[in-house]
Amino acid sequence: MTTLTGRLRIGGQTIPRKYVPVLVTAGLFVAMFAAGSVRYEAFGTGQVILNVFVDNAFLLVVAVGMTFVILTGGIDLSVGSVVALSTMLAAVLLRDGWPVVAVIGLVLVVGAVLGLGMGAIVHYFEIQPFIVTLAGMFLARGLCYTIATDSIPITDPSFTAFAQATIPLGGELWITPSVVAGLVVVVVAAYVLHYTRLGRNVYAIGGSEQSALLMGLPVARTKIAVYTISGFCSALGGLLLSFYMLSGYGLHAVGMELDAIAAVVIGGTLLTGGSGYLLGTVLGVLVLGLIQTIISFEGTLSSWWTKIFIGALLFVFILLQRLISARRTGARST
Amino acid sequence: MTEPVPILQMRGIDKQFPGVKALDGVDFRLFPGEVHALMGENGAGKSTLIKVLTGVYDIDAGAIELEGRPVAFSGPLAAQQAGISTVYQEVNLCANLSVAENIFIGREPRRFGRLQWRVMRREAERILASLDLDLDVSASLSAYSLAVQQMVAIARAVQVDAKVLILDEPTSSLDAGEVERLFGVMRRLKEQGIAILFVSHFLDQIYEISDRMTVLRNGTLVGEYLTRDLPQVELVGKMIGRELAALESLEDRRAAAEQADAAAPLVEADGLGRPGAIEPFSLTVREGEVLGLAGLLGSGRTEVARLLFGADHAGSGTLRVGGVPVRLRTPRAAVRHKLAYCSEDRRAEGIIPELTVRENLILALQAARGWTRPIARRKQDELVERYIKALDIRPADPDRPIANLSGGNQQKVLLARWLILQPRLLILDEPTRGIDVGAKAEIQRLVVELSDGGTAVLFISAELEEVLRLSHKIAVLRDRRMVAELDNDEQLTTDALTETIASGGRS
């Protein structure tokens, strides 16, 4: 088990070591923003940051679900496919003339049920989450193509109106309703993680599932709940993506599970579970989004450079986590 | 003194496992405000009795009464709700959570579903204070030592209004100071009227803390005694059912100390060290010599062993084996030089639980030969049979998975694994921890025999008496530094040794 402990002295202040990864990510974000502002005109505005939210609201929501799963020490590879399936479902049902509210409700239920099913298999059959959600990934992606092999445009008037709506914040700044939805999810999730038994049980299971069981915690219910939450968040992310894209397509969100995992890890959550904060995940998503923004400002770089930067960052952060936790293992006495 | 009413009473408990009668008509009672030690060798039925009590197993016959009412628990959780909490040898808490959470998780104070962190922290502080513990309750549990974690586990156990607290070998991985702290907590709980069932292999600890003891042997009740009425020697006699001749015959070992000095040096370490693990030390082990390593937990005993065996890389210094300088990069290299190392963590670094006794036994020999030269089955049978007999490994069934053997017998298989290689130096790291008196005596006798046969032994143990009894010379470690090397002559006593450890050799 890996845990981050002890305190680190910085200046005169001591900060608990468990906050270090989040602080590093925050520092990185600030540094990147500052560097961008120096290098490019028109970069150093609030709207650039808001645009990162606007362009990544769906990823943020998906990453929140992923955070729950990773905190228990699990992984959910199905999220990208569930996002695609959700866009597909929404598009095809709207084309068939379903009311918007019913579509949204059904999509969310389908996502949650898929997550519930995977969680139940993970727990009751004691199969690695990696394999179960890999199967879920293929299943959901395949289901997209049974609906349609082509992209389906969304033309429902209330849907498109909502998708194009903006919320002015005064002083030229604006966000979209999707951003509000994403932030609401973040706040609710942070509350659940910190102030409810479910949330603390998530951390406990990530710390030691065996101990959690012996302490009489509802391990089965909690594990299934996190996959259900992840499925629900993926479906919600899918809805946000269909606002963003105004289409449903089986090739939407290919590889998004990896972006979500990357955001969670860059946000300082340990892949082994039990340690991490939702704020870190938000920062992780922002860092990923900011990399894309910088590359588009640069103009001459291919968008593949985004992947290269994310890859490099991931290496750095995994090494950082290793260093912080290795110091503890190294100090262990016999 | 009038006897109070027992809070817990077990009468005529029978428990049958396939092929074994684990408990046969055992009576047990527990009074409020007492520490009651449950004594017996491994396999005597202690664990079974605890598991029967906490509902892990059903009973075949007999009755359990808690506060005069008959009870039968469906599992540890039900037992806990009725007021019987158990703290195991391994700390079953989540080290990534805070101290307060570990005490409360699953029963956190809430208001409208929202956790009340402030109330939780305050209550945690209050509970810990009642146990004389002053911890930062919002720090994560992993910031504290195993001993403190154990006490937090106890705090969690008593937080549920426990009437009976079962402590199953809580001290086996604690050092002396930590044990004292634990005992302080136990005394506090005693004053609060909690009945404590205590299991430990350390007799001194039993005598220090317990008021009463129940002795089991082979699943039957030997008797219940007040601790002050039963001298240690009699207790051991009752536990193993025979006199302690085996142990006593080893007592006079020291006379032989001088002659070993003449033997040729086998392993010579000069300024060997590893930054962060152990400061440079020099050490000579001669042929046929037993060198004891004494020191507290974490003083660097295991680090010395690992350096000598090449399991860790030395940062400085030289090592000579048989007068020839060597560099041991891996344990394999050490094995080629006929060194052998029985690690302290039997379960994690020793046995391969899924494999049989035979497979575990020949593992090192096979590894030394290389996988291209398998050992013929007939040769295997012969070797395995010889060592099972020589070390009296029970049950003497080579095809039984080693996980099914008792701790003492597992340890013997591990010893045999290395003895097959006929090592010149055998490093034994805590070979007798957590095993019963009988097996302990056998392992000690084996060390003596090996040494008489010319094998050098590096003997590491937390039990000073044991080190004194077996060693020709004793190296003392403290705070990852070798502070003294003493000849084990008549003047050396456990007190003197303790003094050396405490003072760090400055005198």
Side-chain angles (χ1 to χ4, degrees):
Chain A
M1 187 176 52
T2 324
T3 44
L4 306 179
T5 51
R7 282 157 191 274
L8 204 67
R9 287 189 74 85
I10 292 175
Q13 295 288 65
T14 61
I15 40 171
R17 183 160 282 155
K18 56 186 178 177
Y19 296 135
V20 170
V22 175
L23 288 175
V24 169
T25 312
L28 179 72
F29 178 71
V30 171
M32 280 169 59
F33 185 69
S37 308
V38 170
R39 190 166 160 84
Y40 315 108
E41 257 176 82
F43 189 96
T45 64
Q47 191 59 44
V48 166
I49 293 179
L50 293 181
N51 280 345
V52 171
F53 275 111
V54 169
D55 295 337
N56 291 288
F58 51 91
L59 178 61
L60 181 61
V61 173
V62 172
V64 166
M66 184 68 81
T67 309
F68 276 84
V69 176
I70 290 183
L71 277 176
T72 61
I75 196 99
D76 188 351
L77 297 180
S78 72
V79 293
S81 301
V82 175
V83 165
L85 181 63
S86 302
T87 65
M88 207 68 185
L89 260 183
V92 81
L93 293 177
L94 287 169
R95 190 184 62 188
D96 294 351
W98 282 46
V100 172
V101 177
V103 171
I104 291 177
L106 184 75
V107 165
L108 293 179
V109 168
V110 168
V113 168
L114 277 173
L116 180 91
M118 286 185 284
I121 293 173
V122 166
H123 182 77
Y124 289 112
F125 295 94
E126 289 176 18
I127 302 173
Q128 270 87 356
F130 186 95
I131 286 300
V132 175
T133 59
L134 185 70
M137 172 177 124
F138 282 114
L139 180 77
R141 191 68 74 180
L143 281 176
C144 292
Y145 296 106
T146 63
I147 297 171
T149 50
D150 297 323
S151 173
I152 305 173
I154 294 174
T155 52
D156 181 273
S158 52
F159 212 82
T160 48
F162 185 76
Q164 281 151 8
T166 58
I167 303 169
L169 295 176
E172 308 267 291
L173 300 177
W174 57 273
I175 52 173
T176 57
S178 294
V179 176
V180 176
L183 290 178
V184 167
V185 169
V186 168
V187 170
V188 170
Y191 179 87
V192 168
L193 278 181
H194 199 66
Y195 285 110
T196 65
R197 284 199 179 161
L198 172 67
R200 301 323 293 172
N201 292 345
V202 166
Y203 279 94
I205 291 173
S208 164
E209 190 173 333
Q210 180 66 21
S211 295
L213 205 61
L214 285 171
M215 287 198 284
L217 303 180
V219 171
R221 196 164 14 122
T222 311
K223 273 176 81 179
I224 294 171
V226 296
Y227 288 95
T228 311
I229 290 170
S230 180
F232 178 87
C233 285
S234 306
L236 185 58
L239 287 173
L240 298 184
L241 185 66
S242 43
F243 288 134
Y244 191 76
M245 299 287 214
L246 281 178
S247 67
Y249 190 23
L251 282 178
H252 277 337
V254 171
M256 192 198 263
E257 59 279 349
L258 305 179
D259 286 339
I261 294 169
V264 173
V265 171
I266 290 177
T269 301
L270 283 184
L271 271 176
T272 46
S275 173
Y277 298 92
L278 214 51
L279 177 65
T281 299
V282 176
L283 288 167
V285 171
L286 286 179
V287 165
L288 293 191
L290 207 58
I291 293 174
Q292 278 166 338
T293 311
I294 288 176
I295 281 166
S296 67
F297 264 80
E298 187 67 40
T300 55
L301 288 178
S302 136
S303 66
W304 285 104
W305 278 95
T306 319
K307 306 274 176 205
I308 294 173
F309 279 118
I310 294 174
L313 262 187
L314 266 180
F315 274 124
V316 169
F317 273 80
I318 291 166
L319 286 177
L320 178 80
Q321 293 189 349
R322 189 74 203 143
L323 279 180
I324 294 173
S325 51
R327 200 165 306 167
R328 166 164 166 72
T329 337
R332 188 190 61 184
S333 60
T334 49
Chain B
M1 201 172 86
T2 54
E3 291 248 307
V5 191
I7 185 162
L8 177 82
Q9 184 122 34
M10 301 172 82
R11 280 200 206 91
I13 306 290
D14 279 7
K15 177 69 195 171
Q16 180 89 31
F17 287 122
V20 200
K21 188 134 199 180
L23 291 175
D24 188 2
V26 172
D27 296 336
F28 181 77
R29 52 188 194 152
L30 200 54
F31 294 92
E34 74 165 4
V35 175
H36 192 134
L38 188 57
M39 303 298 298
E41 288 197 281
N42 284 345
K46 300 187 304 270
S47 308
T48 312
L49 190 73
I50 289 174
K51 284 179 175 159
V52 160
L53 173 59
T54 54
V56 178
Y57 300 145
D58 297 324
I59 44 175
D60 298 332
I64 306 176
E65 281 178 17
L66 183 67
E67 295 181 303
R69 282 190 302 277
V71 288
F73 302 118
S74 58
L77 214 60
Q80 200 182 77
Q81 275 149 9
I84 301 180
S85 290
T86 314
V87 173
Y88 301 94
Q89 183 176 356
E90 300 88 24
V91 177
N92 288 305
L93 296 176
C94 293
N96 60 324
L97 302 182
S98 72
V99 172
E101 274 199 280
N102 270 297
I103 296 176
F104 279 100
I105 195 162
R107 320 181 274 264
E108 301 100 327
R110 289 188 296 178
R111 181 188 271 168
F112 308 122
R114 184 181 194 272
L115 301 188
Q116 295 185 286
W117 283 94
R118 196 141 358 118
V119 177
M120 192 171 13
R121 284 196 281 264
R122 205 175 47 223
E123 280 296 295
E125 266 164 11
R126 192 184 57 75
I127 291 167
L128 290 172
S130 75
L131 301 177
D132 271 345
L133 290 171
D134 179 25
L135 310 180
D136 175 4
V137 294
S138 49
S140 47
L141 186 71
S142 54
Y144 291 102
S145 69
L146 209 58
V148 173
Q149 294 189 16
Q150 197 113 46
M151 287 177 235
V152 172
I154 293 174
R156 178 183 173 82
V158 298
Q159 188 264 331
V160 271
D161 216 8
K163 302 174 189 101
V164 174
L165 178 63
I166 300 170
L167 299 176
D168 192 0
E169 292 208 43
T171 57
S172 60
S173 49
L174 307 188
D175 67 32
E178 292 170 333
V179 169
E180 260 323 299
R181 257 185 110 176
L182 177 72
F183 283 179
V185 167
M186 286 169 69
R187 290 192 187 101
R188 266 307 179 92
L189 292 172
K190 225 170 87 168
E191 285 164 23
Q192 294 167 19
I194 292 175
I196 299 175
L197 195 169
F198 181 63
V199 179
S200 170
H201 276 297
F202 299 99
L203 296 184
D204 290 342
Q205 294 179 2
I206 298 286
Y207 274 86
E208 186 182 343
I209 192 76
S210 74
D211 304 303
R212 189 189 295 269
M213 53 178 78
T214 292
V215 182
L216 300 180
R217 188 172 68 233
N218 293 332
T220 57
L221 177 73
V222 176
E224 188 202 81
Y225 313 91
L226 287 176
T227 306
R228 60 172 180 272
D229 294 345
L230 189 69
Q232 284 210 22
V233 181
E234 273 181 48
L235 168 65
V236 173
K238 289 189 195 304
M239 281 165 65
I240 63 178
R242 59 185 139 100
E243 289 310 309
L244 260 189
L247 280 180
E248 275 151 14
S249 71
L250 291 176
E251 278 299 347
D252 268 313
R253 189 71 190 118
R254 302 173 179 190
E258 290 82 28
Q259 69 206 45
D261 252 355
L266 178 64
V267 172
E268 295 161 279
D270 187 17
L272 206 62
R274 178 179 160 85
I278 181 90
E279 285 180 35
F281 62 90
S282 298
L283 192 68
T284 303
V285 191
R286 294 169 193 281
E287 280 171 15
E289 181 179 60
V290 180
L291 179 72
L293 275 191
L296 299 175
L297 208 66
S299 60
R301 300 177 313 209
T302 298
E303 285 76 0
V304 169
R306 290 179 62 93
L307 275 187
L308 290 179
F309 191 58
D312 290 326
H313 291 264
S316 63
T318 57
L319 184 68
R320 277 187 295 182
V321 177
V324 186
V326 293
R327 295 203 61 180
L328 302 178
R329 289 169 195 282
T330 60
R332 271 183 78 82
V335 169
R336 270 200 302 277
H337 286 100
K338 296 246 171 223
L339 309 186
Y341 174 49
C342 261
S343 88
E344 142 188 68
D345 193 342
R346 187 163 63 227
R347 242 166 250 151
E349 297 177 357
I351 63 165
I352 318 274
E354 293 81 17
L355 297 187
T356 63
V357 169
R358 175 215 316 281
E359 287 159 331
N360 268 288
L361 223 154
I362 63 157
L363 202 60
L365 180 61
Q366 184 66 69
R369 286 166 64 106
W371 59 274
T372 49
R373 293 165 57 214
I375 305 164
R377 181 60 185 250
R378 196 189 303 163
K379 174 91 174 150
Q380 282 188 27
D381 285 337
E382 189 190 308
L383 278 172
V384 170
E385 196 187 332
R386 169 143 41 102
Y387 280 95
I388 285 182
K389 200 173 282 170
L391 300 187
D392 191 22
I393 293 167
R394 277 173 293 179
D397 173 6
D399 292 315
R400 183 181 284 251
I402 193 167
N404 296 357
L405 268 60
S406 73
N409 282 302
Q410 288 179 0
Q411 189 68 55
K412 287 191 216 164
V413 173
L414 289 184
L415 270 172
R417 178 193 285 175
W418 291 112
L419 291 180
I420 286 187
L421 293 181
Q422 300 180 322
R424 291 196 286 170
L425 171 67
L426 180 62
I427 304 170
L428 297 175
D429 196 351
E430 295 279 4
T432 61
R433 177 196 289 175
I435 66 176
D436 62 63
V437 176
K440 203 177 246 183
E442 285 173 50
I443 285 177
Q444 291 176 357
R445 188 169 334 116
L446 189 75
V447 169
V448 173
E449 281 169 19
L450 284 171
S451 141
D452 290 345
T455 308
V457 179
L458 187 68
F459 189 81
I460 305 176
S461 173
E463 284 185 53
L464 296 183
E465 280 177 24
E466 191 177 67
V467 176
L468 270 175
R469 190 181 301 144
L470 294 176
S471 310
H472 299 109
K473 266 193 287 186
I474 297 174
V476 180
L477 291 162
R478 177 193 155 100
D479 298 336
R480 301 179 181 274
R481 204 160 58 82
M482 195 170 283
V483 291
E485 199 179 325
L486 309 168
D487 283 327
N488 191 5
D489 50 29
E490 279 77 15
Q491 283 102 52
L492 197 62
T493 59
T494 39
D495 288 341
L497 206 49
T498 312
E499 178 60 31
T500 311
I501 292 171
S503 67
R506 295 179 303 265
S507 53

